[in-house]
Amino acid sequence: MAKECIAMLLAGGQGSRLGVLTKGVAKPAVQFGAKYRIIDFVLTNCAHSGIDTVGVLTQYKPLLLNTYIGSGKSWDLDRLNGGVYVLPPYMQETSGEWYKGTANAIYQNMEFIEQFDPEYVLVLSGDHIYKMNYAKMLDYHIDKNADVTIAYINVPIKEASRFGILQIDGEGKIIEFNEKPKVPKSDCASMGIYIFNWRELRKQLIRDEADQSSSNDFGKNVIPSMLGQGKALYGYGFSGYWKDVGTVESLYDANMDLLDSGEIGLYDADWQIFSRSPLRPPHFLDRNASVTDSYVTEGCYIDGKVAHSIISDGVVIAKNAAVKDSIIMTDCKIGENAVVNKAIIASGTVIARGATIGTNCDATPQYRSNYCTGGITLIGENLTIGEGVEVGCNCMVTSDIKEEK
Amino acid sequence: MAKECIAMLLAGGQGSRLGVLTKGVAKPAVQFGAKYRIIDFVLTNCAHSGIDTVGVLTQYKPLLLNTYIGSGKSWDLDRLNGGVYVLPPYMQETSGEWYKGTANAIYQNMEFIEQFDPEYVLVLSGDHIYKMNYAKMLDYHIDKNADVTIAYINVPIKEASRFGILQIDGEGKIIEFNEKPKVPKSDCASMGIYIFNWRELRKQLIRDEADQSSSNDFGKNVIPSMLGQGKALYGYGFSGYWKDVGTVESLYDANMDLLDSGEIGLYDADWQIFSRSPLRPPHFLDRNASVTDSYVTEGCYIDGKVAHSIISDGVVIAKNAAVKDSIIMTDCKIGENAVVNKAIIASGTVIARGATIGTNCDATPQYRSNYCTGGITLIGENLTIGEGVEVGCNCMVTSDIKEEK
Amino acid sequence: MLNTMGIIFAGNEELRMGELTRARSLAAMPVAGRYRLIDFILSSMVNSGITNIGLTTKFNFQSLLDHLGGGTEWDLSRKKYGLFILPPFYKSENRITESGESKIQSLYNVLHYIRRGKQDYCMLAEGNAVINTTFDEMLDFHRENHSDITVMYSKNADATASQDGCFDVAADNRIKDISPNNTQNAAKSVGFCIIDTDLLITLVESCYARGEYDFSKDIIGKNLTKLRIFGYEFNGYYRHIYDIQSYYRFSMELLNRDVRDTLFENEKKIYTKIKDMVPARYQSNAKVSNSFIADGCIIDGEVNNSVLFRAVEVRKGSKINNCIIMQNGKVLENSVLNAVIMDKNVVIGSGKTLVSEPTFPIVIGKNRVI
Amino acid sequence: MLNTMGIIFAGNEELRMGELTRARSLAAMPVAGRYRLIDFILSSMVNSGITNIGLTTKFNFQSLLDHLGGGTEWDLSRKKYGLFILPPFYKSENRITESGESKIQSLYNVLHYIRRGKQDYCMLAEGNAVINTTFDEMLDFHRENHSDITVMYSKNADATASQDGCFDVAADNRIKDISPNNTQNAAKSVGFCIIDTDLLITLVESCYARGEYDFSKDIIGKNLTKLRIFGYEFNGYYRHIYDIQSYYRFSMELLNRDVRDTLFENEKKIYTKIKDMVPARYQSNAKVSNSFIADGCIIDGEVNNSVLFRAVEVRKGSKINNCIIMQNGKVLENSVLNAVIMDKNVVIGSGKTLVSEPTFPIVIGKNRVI
């Protein structure tokens, strides 16, 4: 059952810059846009690109991610030949080792790849929001006769130093690659999406593994080394919505982009975003509800005011509560007269009646956190913020706050 | 979705006493009885006992085992609520650690168990061949109001020192437990099957984990400690076929038991042994074939002589070849005039024409191996034994043997 | 409840449902924003631990087939037993359907399926009931009373809904008589009964042979003295859907929190086919109250006292009151609707007015553009 | 081949199959030890990358439904498209089937399904073909020739098997005429064609309206000059099963290694429903040669030139020659069978003799005890 191209999805990172949001789950499993999780976008891309075999490399708190992926049915990846496989680190005869870097993670799973005998291997990361037809990128790769093709996107030059930056010639060939350069020479940022010829990748992984000084990372080691060896590296330009949701602020912004720009195109009938839906009834808006400019999904009960917000399944918003510019995750409860402003409330949390989140910027300096920038307040999962409690902006709450007596 | 009882199946061991058979796979994934794998028996037990939630703890080379288990559909364990979950070791915020012992493996997955909020946890190992209705054992456990119930079987007293040995009183209460005692005080051997009250187990696991001197093993540490604490431990007697297939010889014997005694009862319509079947056509016996006292499964082509043997799927046995008292695994090819006697040939191996395996006991002392006792010859997977080569008894072959020129 | 098999009569075709059941069986009727009618009884059986369930079908069960698929979403894609859709049987010689109109004929046609099951009890159920319950206690009752047939009844039930009539139930719970006395407080059949499987086979064969096709009269009524036939009272919420009014009435009852909670906010879930849908989107001009809204809707108008199925669009300036709008319904700008039932894919142009009273809802058939 | 939808005519009911198709459609006929006839064309379509497949059905398709379930085992349990079983459509007013006898009537009844698909091409196929092929090249041929309809033909084919007749195919591959010349070397229809979807809808509607129901005559024959209709030659192995002789003949051909290899030892698999079975067991007195044996068999007698389906038992002293024994067949001690076809669950007692010639096999119906 040889496959032309299989995908390897790097989903092992903790995503520690997401603060308390990744306390219990790996970053790709973080909720997004009311009913999705971050990984849905990449798995959906695979499904629509006709890539039916995907290895998902996990190691950080994979339980929820594994359960969420399940048989892969939700992304049409429960295939007879192929499908989705979760690949944790494992023990060999003598010992086991954790994934050291992105390249090492693939290296440790060469045997998995071999069983499909693929021509090409697509390497993806599980923490970006975008829609991309990998089949077209593969056509380009084949057309260019490349050893590796790297997808890139043009970014504002002032942000370029956060990325791996490509310099490409008129033919699309990469002539220079710099991982997070201080002085970027172009605005072509690597999206962390690679197509390799498998035979070549195999060689490079073995070579990289043997190099004691390597940190076994694609961007830092393998790609620069291949460039040095004179291999054929090509850049594949992508234009369209693409967002790295690595920080609390960028995750918030990407959610708000859904509401404001619609650029990601949730309504594209030919490119439905697949996700694993919970089984809940439609939501109910009661007599006092007012909901505008918002996404609301199943199982919610709303009797309060919701403006410009994203409401996940099973959320209860009581009478006279006011939620604005916020992201409320699964099964949160917002009590009567509570106010939630520009906040992310992680799943299962209760904001008790009269509590105020994110309105007074000077309040609660003790919760201020470097994770939260741009005036965003982040409340962790399964917490209770007591009656009448106030939490200020740029704060991150990681444990219950009791009402003041 | 609270569950009365969930199972935790320890499948992480390498099973190194099986020699070359576990070179590429974990022991529970080793083939058995033409179309089964060892783990099928325990998963089948769960299915027929009405236990619909099973965590499979893996860490040694889990790829084939994970792929084999898949969605669990083959064992009716692809359930909407519950089903089968593969649980590898994972990374926490600061670090990850491999499973140190059987108890530690469960300890590391307490969060998994908690989500089902079970009353009882059944702990199983994935390397025994037996049929058992765990529902009856659970009834017994509940009836006795036990903290833990241990299934035991009566063994010949001379073998008792290989096992954990229970001493039980007239009520079934365990009054003493000795792990592999030199001088066994009874013939009641623990089968490594435990039912715990989950609350009690949780406490014991935390306590055991805190004990620096513990090797975090149920038989060595947790059970003796609970006995010391005066907990209510009961023994549940089992009679019926039960075989630990931990060594090459015991694996061979268990296969031969299938042929000779039928004690395991493959034909019990109410207790079908479930397995993941390959999709292959019926097998074909050609004009020169002679097959007696044997099991043969799908996709085979046989034109030679097969006596008292077990032939897995896709095996080809050419004209005038003679296979006797042997176990031939998936996709092996036995060439013309080859002779295979009392051997286990692992999958994908070619015994070229005229080769002789296991007839001359004095041949090839260089391959003699401690793994192979009782006159059994073991040939590893995907090897080629060249034309006319002879391999003696009690030998283990781990690499190709070229024909002598 | 592992020793019981289920038979659901999903072949009913209610002419009183008019256009709504023209191309689908009643059991496949969309209800409650994202479900089909069959989901309720099917889920109740699954939640009772019944894993061998057969559906008798008659005409036009394509939408039922598409909805149920292999049964996976109801946890009925099982190795042993599972969900069986039982199409009508034809004698090939003369191409005449034997499936007929009555429960007894339907049962006769699926006797091969009933015989194959190894369960001692058989639960017979109507496919058009809205209910979320489990039948464990009813089975216990059946066993404890050494009952041959146990019929579930309710005193609250909507009388017109009862398909198997009313009963006189004695103090010892035995059914004394079939009663014509269809009053408010009568014991009305809820449409579910438990019967010993062997007995069912015998009764069906003997009735069929004699051309007696009325379940209530010929199986219950005629055997009241010969067999132990008991009534089991059910006090919970249930509704039968059998005409447009009962459909509309139930849909409006969903706006009561108690009804929603009973059916959906329950440890026992109502399973249904899952589709990928964007969350519901509320635009700047949305004004929605007292309404049940499914995913995929895009609302920029006013919606009150209504049930909106998946992917319904209500544009700016439109006002929807007391309506049921099924999947992919579209109401363009500045239209006014009151007491309208829109089947799937109906489009209401801009500036239209369709107003009736809740006692007489307007029904618009599938795919219509107005 | 993602731009093609498949329609399989699985409603055929061949009276020439006698007792073997009394309670099952021909497409559900057990073949080759563990398969059903439908598996071949279904797998060939799946292996060609067709993911939207509809099966037209007519009578008694219960066994087909049970076999196919949700389509999982053919990789057809897909989010978008997948496998659709299309039961006959009835007008509810008068309960008259519209499904009719002909392909054109069948197609007319599933036009709603055809319209829903977004594929440009439609592959029409008979449900009774034994074949393992892919249709990619045929589609390329169809496109390259700007063909409206491409019909697969074979010169080797068994003439009586052709349902759509023979053709005169010109050097440029265009079909010139429908030929009555059913000779050894004629271009005989294999029963598969590719047609542009929009054209198919138009043609079916227009034929149906005029009461023209003969696909070969009314769609191919009458349009030979108006449309570009091409023949595509297929040289591989295929067989149609249409009567007892063709069924028996094909089963015996399975004893040729070439035939088995073509069908089964191929990168492209024939998918089927998987059942749990013990491996085949050979006892001490077993003497088996030139036979195709499925799992679950227990053999202690002599078996030659035969096909044994799953869980067949042949006891000591019995001699089986040139037989086909379907699932759960049992031959007790000391019986002699030659050229017998046993349907499922047949039991032959001990000491029986049932002997015929391969040119005239004895057929024993399902569940018989002899």
Side-chain angles (χ1 to χ4, degrees), chain A residues 34-35 267 283 294-298 311, chain C residues 277-282 293-299:
Chain A
K35 63 183 293 181
Y267 294 95
H283 63 267
S294 295
Y295 278 111
V296 180
T297 187
E298 291 156 343
I311 314 294
Chain C
M277 280 283 155
V278 178
R281 168 76 199 222
Y282 293 89
I293 313 285
D295 270 8
C297 290
I298 304 177
I299 302 178

Side-chain angles (χ1 to χ4, degrees), chain A residues 27-47:
Chain A
K27 180 165 148 189
V30 169
Q31 284 192 286
F32 182 82
K35 63 183 293 181
Y36 306 101
R37 293 185 187 270
I38 293 170
I39 200 173
D40 285 332
F41 290 83
V42 172
L43 290 177
T44 295
N45 288 344
C46 288

Side-chain angles (χ1 to χ4, degrees), chain C residues 13 22 59-62 65-66 70 79 84-87 89-90 92-93 95 101 112 276, chain D residues 13 22 59-62 65-66 70 79 84-87 89-90 92-93 95 101 112 276:
Chain C
E13 177 205 23
R22 190 169 299 274
F59 298 112
N60 303 337
F61 53 101
Q62 174 84 62
L65 270 182
D66 291 351
K79 281 188 88 79
F84 296 86
I85 293 164
L86 307 166
F89 183 79
Y90 300 90
S92 62
E93 289 82 359
R95 270 107 173 100
E101 301 300 294
H112 64 282
D276 287 284
Chain D
E13 177 205 23
R22 189 170 300 275
F59 299 111
N60 303 338
F61 52 102
Q62 173 83 63
L65 270 183
D66 290 351
K79 281 186 86 78
F84 296 86
I85 293 163
L86 307 166
F89 183 80
Y90 301 90
S92 61
E93 288 83 358
R95 269 105 171 104
E101 301 301 295
H112 64 281
D276 287 284

